[in-house]
Amino acid sequence: MCELDPRRFEARRRLAFLQVQLGQPVQAARVYARALELRPTAKDVVLELVTLLRATGNVPAAVEQCRRALTLDPTLDDVWLELGNALYACGRLDDAITAYRKLLERSPKHAVAHAN
């Protein structure tokens, strides 16, 4: 389906999901990234890609994807949380705290951000 109309965002998203299920994380990450070219602030796809990148050990790429999405839309609270988590995983604790604080500025009652 993607080959018939490569602009189809939802087709790309579904293909990437299936590739994850089939144990093809590298291919899935590429397809998710292409889907984000079409909708760069699609929160669910950003989160799916970031989760995949972190799970496969590519934490710096996860940080980059979060930053890219937040540059375009700083209201993506779940992406702020994932940015903090990814920075923490990299050992960049001060940067992780900054990300969590940004989230708390937007959502002061966010329990997970407080816990982190």
Side-chain angles (χ1 to χ4, degrees), residues 69-91:
L70 290 168
T71 298
L72 297 171
D73 185 355
T75 68
L76 299 170
D77 289 352
D78 293 336
V79 178
W80 280 111
L81 181 63
E82 285 303 316
L83 175 60
N85 294 342
L87 290 165
Y88 179 83
C90 287

Side-chain angles (χ1 to χ4, degrees), residues 30-80:
R30 282 191 215 123
V31 175
Y32 276 135
R34 283 190 233 129
L36 286 173
E37 290 172 5
L38 299 171
R39 288 189 199 163
T41 59
K43 179 183 79 167
D44 292 343
V45 174
V46 172
L47 294 173
E48 290 166 10
L49 177 56
V50 167
T51 299
L52 177 63
L53 291 169
R54 286 182 59 211
T56 59
N58 196 348
V59 181
V63 169
E64 180 183 326
Q65 286 296 329
C66 288
R67 290 195 188 283
R68 182 177 300 136
L70 290 168
T71 298
L72 297 171
D73 185 355
T75 68
L76 299 170
D77 289 352
D78 293 336
V79 178
W80 280 111

Side-chain angles (χ1 to χ4, degrees), residues 12-29 31-32 48 51-52 56:
R12 288 196 181 283
R13 180 179 179 191
R14 289 179 184 169
L15 175 60
F17 178 80
L18 291 172
Q19 288 173 318
V20 169
Q21 299 304 309
L22 292 170
Q24 301 171 348
V26 174
Q27 297 89 332
V31 175
Y32 276 135
E48 290 166 10
T51 299
L52 177 63
T56 59

